Amino acid sequence: MNLAKRLLLVDDEPLIIKGLRFSLEQDGYEVDSASDGEEAIAKFNASKYDLILLDVMLPKVSGTEVCQRIRERSNVPIIMLTAKGEDMDKILGLEYGADDYMTKPFNILEVKARIKTILRRAQAAPAGVQPKVVHVRDMEVNLVNRAVRLAGRDIKLTAKEFDLLQLFITNRGRVFSRENMLETVWKYDYLGDMRTVDVHIRRLREKIERDNAKPEFIFTKWGVGYYFTDKD
């Protein structure tokens, strides 16, 4: 019997929490909530969650700082709730490390679709599966345990970063357009900004490339998209 997925909703607007909680509990999720950044951090430290829905603008501690502090300890999927005009590069970038974002006001059906997709892709591999490890020069990628080592160092990737790396490393040499990546990695009719792909690619490069000016792994095909190569 599968246990209900546990979600943490963080927003200082009671009506948003009430509406999301009701709708998500109807779908069988176990829902916890916090109304400010301090409470969110305390609840995260005290419990285990499968996904966090996190507002950017929060009292006491901002949502972006909450995201950053969670990322220091965990790769739990995080969807940021933002107002129009927020700087997506910063929210999705290295500074904070969110996996996705939605702009208010949002459609509850789209929220549920994104949660479902992200949770499905974050599922751990079944017990008993033998690790499948891919080596590219001094990079080691375990596709089962979703772990990455580079030159003997552990590289901490978010769920989306690993999904992108896995897509590239299992399709070396193939050029993926932004649309290809949205369809393959995000797995839904993405209504957000195409910059989401560029931000995630930049963040991944910052973690695995020693010199962004001279990439070793992820290359840009100008006017088309991105590709991965293990050639010198």
Side-chain angles (χ1 to χ4, degrees):
M1 181 177 178
N2 293 327
L3 296 176
K5 296 296 182 184
R6 300 194 70 228
L7 312 182
L8 176 62
L9 311 182
V10 188
D11 200 299
D12 62 340
E13 298 183 47
L15 287 178
I16 289 181
I17 291 292
K18 182 178 180 180
L20 284 171
R21 180 191 293 276
F22 176 80
S23 185
L24 292 169
E25 286 180 343
Q26 290 291 102
D27 281 6
Y29 294 108
E30 182 180 331
V31 179
D32 199 359
S33 65
S35 59
D36 62 60
E38 284 186 0
E39 184 182 9
I41 292 168
K43 289 199 170 183
F44 169 78
N45 289 336
S47 301
K48 179 176 173 58
Y49 298 100
D50 297 291
L51 182 141
I52 298 173
L53 204 61
L54 178 63
D55 189 30
V56 171
M57 301 298 294
L58 291 172
K60 298 184 180 180
V61 179
S62 71
T64 49
E65 184 175 345
V66 172
C67 182
Q68 191 174 28
R69 287 166 68 172
I70 288 173
R71 275 290 167 264
E72 292 171 356
R73 298 183 49 195
S74 171
N75 285 332
V76 60
I78 298 174
I79 301 176
M80 301 295 287
L81 302 178
T82 77
K84 288 185 178 179
E86 295 286 352
D87 189 339
M88 292 304 105
D89 285 7
K90 289 183 178 179
I91 291 168
L92 294 171
L94 274 172
E95 300 96 325
Y96 309 116
D99 295 280
D100 202 354
Y101 75 94
M102 298 194 67
T103 302
K104 294 180 178 180
F106 47 75
N107 184 303
I108 186 60
L109 295 179
E110 186 184 355
V111 174
K112 293 198 289 187
R114 294 198 190 190
I115 289 173
K116 184 177 180 181
T117 297
I118 290 174
L119 287 175
R120 183 173 65 244
R121 294 189 64 80
Q123 286 285 339
V129 175
Q130 294 300 312
K132 181 179 179 182
V133 179
V134 177
H135 290 90
V136 180
R137 293 199 291 277
D138 58 350
M139 181 190 293
E140 176 183 293
V141 182
N142 188 312
L143 300 178
V144 176
N145 295 337
R146 296 174 66 86
V148 180
R149 289 179 65 81
L150 181 64
R153 295 183 300 110
D154 291 328
I155 304 297
K156 196 170 185 179
L157 302 183
T158 66
K160 276 292 183 293
E161 289 166 2
F162 188 90
D163 290 342
L164 283 169
L165 179 59
Q166 180 170 347
L167 177 68
F168 282 132
I169 208 167
T170 55
N171 294 276
R172 278 171 265 180
R174 176 180 169 184
V175 179
F176 287 92
S177 69
R178 292 167 179 80
E179 291 83 359
N180 290 154
M181 285 182 275
L182 285 173
E183 292 171 3
T184 306
V185 173
W186 275 259
K187 293 285 188 182
Y188 47 68
D189 295 330
Y190 193 77
L191 302 178
D193 194 319
M194 284 290 180
R195 285 186 306 158
T196 299
V197 173
D198 295 326
V199 171
H200 277 82
I201 293 293
R202 186 173 68 247
R203 185 174 67 190
L204 178 59
R205 279 172 160 167
E206 290 284 349
K207 293 182 178 181
I208 68 172
E209 301 285 9
R210 278 165 277 245
D211 182 354
N212 279 334
K214 298 178 180 179
E216 300 174 64
F217 302 108
I218 299 175
F219 292 79
T220 302
K221 185 77 170 179
W222 296 108
V224 183
Y226 300 96
Y227 65 100
F228 186 102
T229 181
D230 54 4
K231 299 177 181 178
D232 294 329

